[in-house]
Amino acid sequence: MEKEMMAKSFISSPAYAPSMLPLLSPSSQNLSFRCLSPLKANPNGYLVGGTKRFCRVVVARGNLESTGVPTSVPVRVALELLQAGHRYLDVRTPEEFSAGHASGAINVPYMLRVGSGMIKNPKFLAEVSSHFQKDDEIIVGCQKGKRSLMAVNDLLATGFTAVTDIAGGYDAWSENRLPTDL
């Protein structure tokens, strides 16, 4: 279990070394993996591959059931997932979304502004279900990363199986000059 938890954490630190990621057990029943770059197991039982800055290894299905922690990826990995066919769910408010968003993103707010505060969108799951099937591969982003992580937890808890959080949200996306629409 410890190896599975470590393997599902994507490491975005410049100090990342690909050999630090343990090899997952192929007998894991709740997991299926999609490799974005060639991987090889070294003699110590670790996966090697990826780039110097990012581990582009695995998107795990059913990750909430397996570890209790949803998968989060850096924005550059999220872009690769988008290019590989994942769909982008932006859970920011309509005002935040209209100020700029990732190209091709679909906006379903997780929180709604009420006065000077925010409340959870009571129609969030129904609205997401109108755009996505439970087995669609979805990357979820917000402004900084907190709302998207909560949204991913809710989606996984209600049966969505291939949902991945974007660490750092739209702030990190735009700081990295990734494709946006206004």
Side-chain angles (χ1 to χ4, degrees):
M1 184 62 125
E2 182 179 329
K3 284 185 179 182
E4 290 177 2
M5 289 181 70
M6 288 174 58
K8 282 184 249 162
S9 296
F10 286 78
I11 302 166
S12 60
S13 163
Y16 164 71
S19 63
M20 296 160 75
L21 189 66
L23 182 62
L24 290 173
S25 164
S27 63
S28 299
Q29 294 177 352
N30 291 331
L31 305 174
S32 62
F33 303 99
R34 179 176 203 192
C35 297
L36 300 176
S37 62
L39 303 173
K40 297 176 186 169
N42 71 17
N44 297 323
Y46 289 87
L47 292 176
V48 294
T51 67
K52 289 181 184 175
R53 275 197 81 199
F54 300 106
C55 171
R56 298 182 292 167
V57 180
V58 183
V59 173
R61 293 181 178 267
N63 56 16
L64 183 65
E65 292 174 3
S66 301
T67 67
V69 179
T71 301
S72 290
V73 297
V75 293
R76 291 199 178 272
V77 175
L79 176 62
E80 291 180 13
L81 292 173
L82 192 60
Q83 292 168 339
H86 286 60
R87 295 172 59 203
Y88 193 120
L89 172 62
D90 190 317
V91 297
R92 297 178 298 153
T93 65
E95 298 81 18
E96 290 170 311
F97 185 81
S98 65
H101 54 271
S103 297
I106 296 170
N107 183 227
V108 178
Y110 183 74
M111 304 288 282
L112 300 171
R113 292 200 188 281
V114 177
S116 61
M118 296 183 89
I119 62 166
K120 184 176 171 186
N121 178 359
K123 298 179 182 176
F124 175 73
L125 293 171
E127 290 178 20
V128 170
S129 294
S130 73
H131 294 283
F132 300 95
Q133 300 296 313
K134 297 246 181 184
D135 62 347
D136 284 349
E137 294 175 317
I138 308 167
I139 53 174
V140 182
C142 63
Q143 193 68 37
K144 297 186 182 298
K146 184 176 179 182
R147 285 175 283 176
S148 61
L149 194 56
M150 292 186 295
V152 166
N153 276 320
D154 284 0
L155 293 168
L156 289 168
T158 58
F160 283 82
T161 59
V163 185
T164 303
D165 174 61
I166 301 171
Y170 185 72
D171 282 354
W173 188 274
S174 58
E175 285 171 10
N176 281 270
R177 296 191 169 109
L178 300 181
T180 60
D181 293 332
L182 295 177

